[in-house]
């Protein structure tokens, strides 16, 4: 398979004619060639997007909403293909890709269509005047997305940007380009207006950087690692671009002494190991009350040891491969480091060799480590793999202090039979998103984003629509 960029409604080869290899990490085989684009391709995409801007931005809102619904309907017909492509591109189980990636990629469009349709009018009456707020598009926006939830995160940005009248230059991760290409095929099949969405494939340091630097791109929405987020911010901030950064996490799962331990063990296992721990919301630090520590850890270890790691194409697989050999080596280096940091491996702790066709795949057994200090590198740095550390606490206050010990502040969960106690703990954790007795239970209307080094700004519902629009207040003095 050879992919091309999608610019001005056409699939076109990269300016310099160079291509990168795209691998299936579960089999370690090349599955596609993708454009190794450069600043010239970005220039072309920006031209296409800025040319399309006057017409798209003046297309009435109800027509833009209709387009979102048309995209959703056309994507919906290709859901099983989305799941299959996502699975071979990322190594995640196809059943997870069906349930999470394919469904959300469609519902991102229907959600933002509904949300824009019901957008509250902003009006502020004064004694002698009335203020009303209108929304204008920001212009041409740059969207940069990672490899862990490829189409899910790309459409999470495309849908609100589109509905608010912006035109788009987007760069999917070079590791997972396949479903962005499927989206372009879908746009083509429904005769979506040309030039409104442009996709440029290639390396982050070249294509991503060229997008962030481009003076005609007025806003950047980025999801990815904190180190890359810093580079993006350093480039975009002096240009006064609107900036949304969704970055890493090192989230705490807090098990209070009154929790239902079986439910909490299932919840903690799911939070730690969904998508091989490669979700920014994953609970990679499990904090457990002293009084129930042994009983809980026994249940958790049994839960995790029963997870089936294997061929992502098989329906009984719970955990597939990680994203690449390079990422696997990074994760394994943290497991090695855990031993130096006095950690004890309770389960997992090693690379797995599986039968063909996965013999050369990047598989790691889900790993639980305890007896490791809460301020160790393994417990404070984002590993972003199937590795979680377990720590003991003796009071709710200590659990909160431990949860707040990292540079990150994205998410977390608290497990308890006392909802009020759970809320009191959750409210003191320095994170943007907390769950009580659940995890990754998402209402797309709610604010999504992190504090500290986990990012800047919020996405979701009104927050996304506000980011992708310029709010203009008009104050009219009464006669
Ligand atoms: O992500 P990058 P990487 C974390 C996770 C992981 C680490 C590194 O800890 O181990 O980040 O992963 C593009 N200007 N997360 O290196 O580089 C890149 O091409 C503009 C958490 O794979 O952040 C890709 O499209 N763009 C995260 C996107 O940025 C640049 C999900 C993200 O890749 C760029 C993924 C540049 N200079 C990793 N350099 C989450 N928040 O969920 C790269 N890119």
């Amino acid at each position: 398979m050879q992919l091309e960029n999608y610019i001005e409604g056409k699939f076109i080869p990269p300016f310099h004619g160079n291509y990168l290899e795209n691998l299936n990490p579960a089999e370690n085989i090349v599955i596609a060639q993708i454009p190794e684009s450069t600043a010239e391709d970005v220039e072309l995409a920006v031209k296409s997007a800025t040319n399309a801007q006057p017409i798209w931005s003046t297309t009435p809102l109800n027509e833009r909403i209709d387009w979102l619904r048309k995209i959703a309907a056309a994507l919906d017909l290709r859901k099983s293909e989305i799941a299959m492509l996502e699975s071979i591109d990322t190594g995640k189980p196809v059943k997870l890709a069906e349930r999470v990636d394919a469904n959300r990629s469609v519902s991102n469009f229907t959600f933002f269509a509904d949300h824009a349709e019901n957008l509250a009018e902003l009006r502020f009456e004064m004694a002698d005047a009335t203020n009303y707020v209108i929304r204008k598009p920001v212009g041409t926006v740059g969207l940069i997305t990672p490899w862990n939830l490829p189409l899910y995160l790309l459409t999470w940005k495309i849908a609100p940007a589109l509905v608010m009248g912006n035109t788009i230059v987007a760069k999917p991760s070079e590791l997972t380009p396949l479903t962005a290409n499927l989206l372009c095929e879908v746009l083509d099949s429904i005769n979506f207006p040309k030039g409104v969405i442009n996709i440029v494939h290639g390396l982050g340091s070249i294509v991503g950087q060229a997008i962030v630097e481009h003076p005609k791109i007025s806003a950047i929405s980025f999801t990815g690692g904190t180190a890359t987020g810093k580079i993006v911010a350093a480039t975009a901030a002096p240009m006064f671009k609107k900036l949304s950064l969704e970055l890493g996490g090192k989230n705490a799962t807090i098990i209070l002494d009154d929790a239902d331990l079986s439910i909490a063990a299932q919840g903690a296992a799911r939070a730690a190991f969904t998508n091989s721990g490669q979700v920014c919301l994953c609970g990679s630090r499990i904090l457990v009350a002293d009084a129930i520590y042994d009983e809980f850890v026994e249940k958790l270890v049994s839960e995790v040891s029963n997870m089936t790691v294997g061929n992502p194409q098989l329906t009984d697989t719970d955990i597939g491969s990680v994203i690449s050999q390079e990422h696997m080596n990074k994760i394994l280096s943290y497991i090695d480091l855990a031993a130096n940091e006095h950690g004890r491996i309770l389960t997992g702790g090693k690379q797995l060799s599986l039968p063909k066709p996965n013999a050369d795949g990047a598989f790691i057994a889900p790993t639980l480590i305890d007896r490791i200090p809460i301020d160790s590198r393994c417990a404070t740095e984002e590993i972003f793999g199937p590795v979680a550390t377990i720590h003991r606490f003796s009071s709710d206050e200590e659990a909160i202090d431990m949860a707040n010990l990292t540079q990150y502040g994205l998410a977390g969960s608290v497990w308890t039979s006392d909802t009020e106690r759970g809320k009191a703990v959750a409210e003191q954790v320095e994170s943007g998103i907390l769950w009580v007795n659940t995890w990754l239970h998402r209402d797309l209307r709610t604010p999504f984003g992190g504090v500290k080094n986990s990012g800047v700004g919020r996405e979701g519902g009104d927050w996304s629509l506000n980011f992708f629009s310029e709010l203009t207040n008009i104050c009219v003095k009464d006669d």
Side-chain angles (χ1 to χ4, degrees):
M1 202 187 326
Q2 179 166 307
L3 309 192
E4 306 295 2
N5 291 327
Y6 187 69
I7 298 175
E8 219 174 349
K10 292 188 285 284
F11 290 91
I12 57 170
F15 186 82
H16 287 290
N18 296 328
Y19 289 82
L20 299 162
E21 287 185 339
N22 175 36
L23 294 159
N24 168 346
E27 300 185 14
N28 202 19
I29 52 166
V30 177
I31 46 174
Q33 307 287 328
I34 72 161
E36 186 175 3
S37 307
T38 53
E40 289 90 341
D41 300 290
V42 171
E43 189 59 44
L44 217 57
V46 173
K47 261 201 193 105
S48 156
T50 49
N51 287 342
Q53 179 61 30
I55 293 184
W56 183 249
S57 63
T58 50
T59 300
L61 179 64
N62 63 326
E63 285 180 33
R64 297 200 300 256
I65 288 172
D66 285 347
W67 275 116
L68 262 67
R69 296 200 195 286
K70 279 185 207 159
I71 298 173
L75 271 183
D76 193 59
L77 296 174
R78 297 183 67 175
K79 271 207 305 210
S80 48
E81 204 183 333
I82 294 173
M84 190 269 289
L85 291 175
E86 230 52 307
S87 175
I88 61 171
D89 224 359
T90 63
K92 71 176 69 183
V94 74
K95 75 172 180 200
L96 176 72
E98 266 163 20
R99 197 177 71 242
V100 177
D101 302 66
N103 282 329
R104 249 305 274 288
S105 302
V106 175
S107 65
N108 281 337
F109 285 102
T110 48
F111 167 74
F112 278 111
D114 293 344
H115 202 73
E117 206 155 49
N118 297 308
L119 198 55
E121 191 190 2
L122 292 175
R123 231 181 151 77
F124 306 92
E125 301 287 349
M126 299 167 77
D128 57 351
T130 299
N131 296 276
Y132 68 98
V133 179
I134 57 168
R135 288 167 185 276
K136 296 180 185 170
V138 183
T140 293
V141 298
L143 312 179
I144 299 174
T145 47
W147 43 260
N148 55 341
L149 294 157
L151 191 60
Y152 170 131
L153 288 173
L154 183 63
T155 54
W156 176 238
K157 297 181 191 301
I158 285 183
L162 267 191
V163 83
M164 288 291 99
N166 302 278
T167 57
I168 293 166
V169 177
K171 194 203 88 66
S173 168
E174 57 274 34
L175 300 177
T176 55
L178 299 184
T179 47
N181 185 64
L182 179 144
L183 175 67
C184 300
E185 290 171 5
V186 160
L187 297 174
D188 219 43
S189 72
I190 60 170
N191 290 319
F192 187 75
K194 295 187 190 320
V196 175
I197 300 178
N198 304 275
I199 306 275
V200 186
H201 295 281
L203 298 173
S205 56
I206 297 173
V207 176
Q209 187 70 24
I211 291 174
V212 178
E213 279 173 3
H214 202 292
K216 293 211 169 124
I217 292 190
S218 319
I220 299 289
S221 178
F222 171 86
T223 299
T226 294
T228 312
K230 245 184 219 172
I231 301 173
V232 170
T235 311
M239 300 175 83
F240 304 110
K241 296 188 181 206
K242 279 189 103 172
L243 196 55
S244 168
L245 299 172
E246 297 297 334
L247 309 176
K250 188 75 181 177
N251 312 299
T253 300
I254 303 175
I255 317 293
L256 300 184
D257 54 13
D258 61 355
D260 176 319
L261 297 191
S262 298
I263 292 175
Q266 283 168 13
R270 191 175 146 252
F273 298 110
T274 293
N275 205 30
S276 293
Q278 301 168 126
V279 181
C280 52
L281 304 168
C282 275
S284 51
R285 293 181 300 150
I286 304 171
L287 314 183
V288 186
D290 210 11
I292 46 111
Y293 189 90
D294 292 336
E295 196 186 340
F296 174 80
V297 170
E298 192 183 318
K299 284 185 192 297
L300 180 64
V301 169
S302 138
E303 195 68 47
V304 173
S305 326
N306 283 331
M307 290 177 160
T308 308
V309 186
N311 186 340
Q313 302 306 309
L314 303 178
T315 49
D316 63 347
T317 295
D318 298 312
I319 299 189
S321 77
V322 297
I323 187 65
S324 64
Q325 296 281 325
E326 191 189 353
H327 193 54
M328 175 178 71
N329 291 333
K330 174 186 153 187
I331 297 165
L332 291 172
S333 76
Y334 274 102
I335 295 174
D336 288 345
L337 176 66
N340 296 335
E341 295 189 318
H342 312 294
R344 173 178 66 161
I345 291 178
L346 295 170
T347 182
K350 56 180 189 302
Q351 182 182 353
L352 290 177
S353 55
L354 297 180
K356 279 186 177 166
N358 305 109
D360 297 321
F363 291 87
I364 298 179
T367 301
L368 289 169
I369 301 168
D370 79 345
R371 296 188 184 164
I372 191 158
I374 188 71
D375 59 355
S376 61
R377 282 187 56 204
C378 284
T380 52
E381 296 178 11
E382 188 180 38
I383 301 175
F384 218 60
V387 179
T389 55
I390 311 177
H391 310 269
R392 200 185 274 268
F393 66 82
S394 54
S395 66
D396 292 6
E397 291 66 36
E398 194 188 5
I400 294 160
D401 288 345
M402 288 166 91
N404 291 340
L405 205 70
T406 74
Q407 56 166 327
Y408 295 106
L410 187 57
S413 64
V414 184
W415 299 79
T416 172
S417 54
D418 178 346
T419 308
E420 289 310 313
R421 186 177 169 202
K423 282 160 61 182
V425 171
E427 286 174 19
Q428 292 179 75
V429 175
E430 295 162 356
S431 286
I433 307 147
L434 274 303
W435 286 282
V436 177
N437 291 328
T438 183
W439 178 76
L440 198 44
H441 196 48
R442 290 275 291 124
D443 179 331
L444 302 186
R445 295 168 302 178
T446 59
F448 179 97
V451 301
K452 303 199 281 192
N453 290 8
S454 288
V456 177
R458 296 289 181 274
E459 296 183 329
D462 288 353
W463 289 270
S464 291
L465 298 188
N466 286 345
F467 178 76
F468 287 113
S469 48
E470 289 295 0
L471 299 174
T472 305
N473 185 62
I474 300 182
C475 178
V476 184
K477 180 89 167 62
D478 292 346
D479 293 335

